[in-house]
Each structure stands twice: as structure tokens, then as C-alpha cells.
Amino acid sequence: MVISFLSEPLLTTILTYNQEESARYFSISFSSDEIITLFLAISIMLIGQILKKACQLAEENKQVI
């Protein structure tokens, strides 16, 4: 997945590098599978941050009591 995501922009940049500046372009595309994967990854990262904050708050509460 990562390789396919990075290969298209790299290939379009390399193939159009020798063109004049107005003809060069950079292309990125997403498929529905990649969007779903990114959404799940972001969701897991957010849950991890929430759990990290919860652990910090629990440690603070232990010290107070």
C-alpha cells in the first residue's frame, strides 16, 4: 500500500522532469481502500492518545489520594 501510494507521485515527477516548468506535474490519487485504511489508522491513533491521557490522569489521581 505504501509503495503504491508513493510510486505514482514519484513516477509522474520523474517522467515530467525534463519538460518545461509549465508542463511538469505532480499526481496523487487515493482509492477507496486507501481512504478506509487511513481512516482506521487515524482512529486508532486517536484512541491511543485518549488512552495515554487517561493513564496520565489516573496516575495524578493516585498521587492525590
Side-chain angles (χ1 to χ4, degrees), residues 15-40:
L15 292 174
T16 60
Y17 185 75
N18 289 330
Q19 303 292 327
E20 55 189 59
E21 283 190 38
S22 62
R24 293 180 193 163
Y25 68 93
F26 187 78
S27 174
I28 297 176
S29 66
F30 295 102
S31 69
S32 61
D33 291 339
E34 291 168 341
I35 292 172
I36 291 170
T37 303
L38 287 173
F39 176 74
L40 290 173

Side-chain angles (χ1 to χ4, degrees), residues 58-65:
E59 285 296 321
E60 288 178 16
N61 287 340
K62 283 182 184 178
Q63 293 175 358
V64 171
I65 296 177

